[in-house]
Structure formats: C-alpha cells, structure tokens
Amino acid sequence: MNTPNDNAALGTDVLAAKEGANNPGDENAIDRVLVLEMVRVTEAAAVAAAQLIGRGDEKAADAAAVEAMRRAFDTLYMDGTVVIGEGERDEAPMLYIGEKVGGAPGRGPKIDIALDPLEGTTITAKAGPNALAVLAASEEGGLLNAPDVYMDKLAVGPGLPADVIDLAKTPTQNVEAVAAAKGVKPSEINVCVLDRPRHADLIAELRAIGCGVHLIGDGDVAGVIAVTDQDTTIDIYMGQGGAPEGVLAAAALRCVGGQFNGRLVFRNDDEKARAKKWGITDLNKIYKLEELAKSDCIFAATGVTDGSLLEGVKKRKKSTGATIMTTDSVVMRASSGTVRWIRGEHRIAPHRG
C-alpha cells in the first residue's frame, strides 16, 4: 500500500479565511503561527486513518491516526501536555492523559491539548460519513480535564439569548425555549441525537412534540458543531456521549459562538473515583461552555470521510502524473473569532517493493 511520506503534513495549503477581529499586539502562549501548525497535526492523522477507510478494522484505523498525530506533534515548537486523550497511561501506549508532546519540552509555550486522532473509528471502518481527526489546544489550565466517562450534552448555535438552554430542564422545555427565541413553533425545530438505545425515551419525547430528529450513528463532535452551520438545518444537539468529545465540541463553540451545557454521567463507583482523581468533586455539576473551554483556545479538525462539516481524504492523480492525497480542514481561534478553511495537498511516497 502507498503511504504518506514523513513530510505529508507539509503539503500545499490553500487558505480561504473568514477573519474576525485580530489584534496583532494581543499575543499569549497560543501564537498565531501555532494556530496553523495545529492543522498539520490533524491532517497527518486524517491521511493515515484514510488508508483504512472501509477495511472493517477499527483498531488499525485508530492506531494509524494515533501514531501519525503523535509524530506530528513532535514537529511543533511547544511544551504540550495531553489533558484529554486516548485514556489513562495504563490504558493507552500513546497520547495518554498526562503525556508530554511537542518538540520543545521545557522551552516552548506550555499548551494543554485535548484530542481525538480518529473521532469515528466505526465510521471509518464502515466508510460512513463524518469521521474526523480533531484536537483542541489552550494555554495551560484552559481545558477541563474530563475523565473518560459519558456526558449529557445540550448545545445550540450563536445568535440566541444567553442561557436559552438548561440541562436542568426537560428536552421539551429546551425545545420550546429555543423555538420561542427563534420565533418558530417547536415542530419546526430540528434536533441532532446519537442513534443509541439509551436515547429511546428522548427521541420519543422529541417526536411527540413534532420535532424533526436527525439521528447520527457516531461522531458527536461533528453533531454538536452542526448547530453552528445554518446549512445543516440542525437547531439543537441533545443526548449522551463521551465527555472528552464534549470538551472538544465546547472548544469549537467557544471559537465560533454558541451555547453548551454538559453534565458528567457516572455508571459506577470506579468512574466516580476516576473523576475525583482528576479533581472533580461535584459529580452533578452542569458545566457551561466557558467552564469546559476556559480561555483562548484553538480547535482544528480534518475530515477523514465525507461529512456535513468537511470533505474526507481523497487520493488523486495530478496532471503531472504525481499521486497526492487531498485534505479538507478547519481551524478556529477563540480570541480572534477567526475561522480558516484549509485545502491541503500531500505527496505520496513512491511504493518500495
């Protein structure tokens, strides 16, 4: 199989930027250059995972993405720490919580990283839509160090009154509040929900009030981000998914606007003990957006398979005869409100028999 060469992340980038306010004098640990470098990391993971699209092997696809992302981090001038990753050290050999990443330990800016090298392993194995390589980065202490448990999630896009959603209220009450804020009937609201047996009651309640329910098989980071894009027609994201993915999605919303509520869900005493290990003492707390992504942050994602947010990785022949992989990525920064859509071309190393 042809594989991307070690310089895959150095492909030709064509940037189409929608710029927000950007004050050149307002610098912190997240330098503007580092914002674009983060895309190289998600590109590397996506290109590696794409080699295994439709092959039916979730573990192999995930391992390829993890290894490529880990190598790419080491090219960046930063002193990074993984705060949300592939699990605790005894569960993951690489990109585990607490692992140091970056090429300048003790010298570069101290950066906290939340990541999912392949958000949608099952999607990738089955060649389904919306698989992504994603990460969020902030200054040290800027992201909630969430344990790998479930999280109740509730999200809406920008332009709505503050606190229009509330996890303490029922799904019906939240739909009615968003409908009132938008000046429409509850039956005109579309809600995105993970298609899981645990959501049977939620789906039934939403359909009882006439909502459109958009069910997705996997990939709830993309599901949450969909509320920010009018073209998706998704008004609200509701339901239970992974807590690490909740922090990643909150970082994206912090960059582009929107509201998010999250509440950790513990199924047993072991999960509660793990939460306390990471400094979480209020096990029933409802976290708002600013508590999950507390300061200036970066969100970067590259499509692995085609989806509503990004196109997937494609192998193409150029007119010169060269074989390339194309990638479609987005990178956002909270402090500037900048969103960049990036098209990448990555050369493929010649096959050596």
Side-chain angles (χ1 to χ4, degrees), residues 3-12 47 318 322-326 344-350:
T3 56
N5 63 23
D6 291 338
N7 294 319
L10 302 179
T12 303
V47 169
K318 299 199 78 172
T323 301
I324 61 168
M325 303 289 276
T326 62
E345 293 184 357
H346 312 273
R347 290 173 296 172
I348 303 300

Side-chain angles (χ1 to χ4, degrees), residues 266-276 283:
F266 303 99
R267 296 171 293 181
N268 52 52
D269 290 339
D270 178 62
E271 290 188 348
K272 293 177 182 178
R274 287 168 64 187
K276 291 180 180 179
L283 302 184

Side-chain angles (χ1 to χ4, degrees), residues 149-163:
V149 298
Y150 280 122
M151 175 185 280
D152 286 325
K153 304 172 189 178
L154 181 61
V156 292
L160 295 172
D163 300 321

Side-chain angles (χ1 to χ4, degrees), residues 151-156 162-169 174 224 236-241 246-247 249-250 253 258-264 285-292:
M151 175 185 280
D152 286 325
K153 304 172 189 178
L154 181 61
V156 292
D163 300 321
V164 69
I165 54 172
D166 186 349
L167 260 180
K169 296 181 179 179
N174 279 297
V224 172
I236 309 174
Y237 182 90
M238 286 186 183
Q240 198 176 96
V247 176
L253 291 182
Q259 299 176 46
F260 187 94
N261 281 194
R263 179 173 52 211
L264 299 175
K285 179 179 175 62
I286 295 175
Y287 294 89
K288 293 190 177 181
L289 178 64
E290 296 77 11
E291 295 172 298
L292 296 168

Side-chain angles (χ1 to χ4, degrees), residues 40-194:
R40 301 179 190 274
V41 176
T42 57
E43 284 176 339
V47 169
Q51 310 299 312
L52 292 155
I53 291 172
R55 301 315 195 267
D57 193 335
E58 298 177 18
K59 290 183 179 180
D62 189 54
V66 169
E67 291 173 10
M69 181 173 276
R70 183 65 178 80
R71 288 195 303 270
F73 271 129
D74 285 342
T75 68
L76 305 189
Y77 186 82
M78 68 174 188
D79 181 1
T81 302
V82 176
V83 297
I84 290 178
E86 291 292 282
E88 298 181 30
R89 185 168 188 166
D90 58 350
E91 299 172 344
M94 197 179 297
L95 295 181
Y96 53 81
I97 297 170
E99 183 176 3
K100 302 296 290 184
V101 295
R107 306 188 314 277
K110 292 186 178 297
I111 303 293
D112 282 355
I113 307 287
L115 56 87
D116 193 340
L118 183 54
E119 209 263 330
T121 55
T122 302
I123 291 171
T124 303
K126 296 181 177 180
N130 283 319
L132 301 170
V134 296
L135 67 82
S138 77
E139 298 176 273
E140 189 175 27
L143 299 171
L144 178 72
N145 197 339
D148 190 7
V149 298
Y150 280 122
M151 175 185 280
D152 286 325
K153 304 172 189 178
L154 181 61
V156 292
L160 295 172
D163 300 321
V164 69
I165 54 172
D166 186 349
L167 260 180
K169 296 181 179 179
T170 67
T172 297
Q173 288 172 326
N174 279 297
V175 168
E176 290 174 344
V178 172
K182 292 192 170 193
V184 300
K185 298 176 181 177
S187 59
E188 296 178 65
I189 295 295
N190 291 308
V191 184
C192 183
V193 181
L194 269 176

Side-chain angles (χ1 to χ4, degrees), residues 10 32-42 72 75-76:
L10 302 179
R32 284 194 299 274
V33 174
L34 192 58
V35 174
L36 294 180
E37 293 293 338
M38 287 297 175
V39 177
R40 301 179 190 274
V41 176
T42 57
T75 68
L76 305 189

